[in-house]
Amino acid sequence: QVQLVESGGGLVQAGGSLRLSCAASGFGLDRYAVGWFRQAPGKDREGVSCAGKDKDDTYYADSVKGRFTIARDDAQKTVYLQMNSLEPEDTAIYYCAADEFISRAHHLCEWGGSHDYRGQGTQVTVSS
């Protein structure tokens, strides 16, 4: 079955950390730009962090820069999002996505359309 499955969400206090994982099955990630997006109630979708096809090409939204780190392990077909210094404003459903015909990280994060593959999402709740 071709899919992306996220894990690692949960409830954490402000200042805490979480590590999200996104595992691909049925396809390899090496031909795809990959990224993490989030959507909070009443807010637009936000491209949080993306990794382009080039190993060193990453993008972070200003709201998470310096706190979040994206990493991709194509051999394990997994994308990670390390989230540190979490704030209540980070509360949202986080999902991962992959697109074959987008190469650059910032293009993927700024893309407002549908993705080739998208996971179901995992809830992240940060309490104050």
Side-chain angles (χ1 to χ4, degrees), residues 15-93:
S17 297
L18 284 173
R19 187 194 196 204
L20 305 183
S21 299
C22 170
S25 62
F27 70 106
L29 287 176
D30 53 306
R31 299 200 322 270
Y32 293 78
V34 294
W36 289 94
F37 298 77
R38 68 185 181 187
Q39 188 150 24
K43 293 188 178 181
D44 292 335
R45 181 179 79 182
E46 179 183 19
V48 174
S49 180
C50 294
K53 294 181 181 180
D54 185 8
K55 181 170 68 83
D56 297 321
D57 178 25
T58 57
Y59 167 88
Y60 297 92
D62 287 343
S63 57
V64 306
K65 206 170 288 184
R67 300 188 296 122
F68 291 11
T69 303
I70 190 171
R72 62 185 298 167
D73 185 339
D74 290 345
Q76 296 297 321
K77 298 195 293 184
T78 302
V79 185
Y80 303 97
L81 185 68
Q82 178 67 43
M83 306 187 296
N84 298 329
S85 302
L86 282 161
E87 303 167 352
E89 293 74 23
D90 296 316
T91 295
I93 295 175

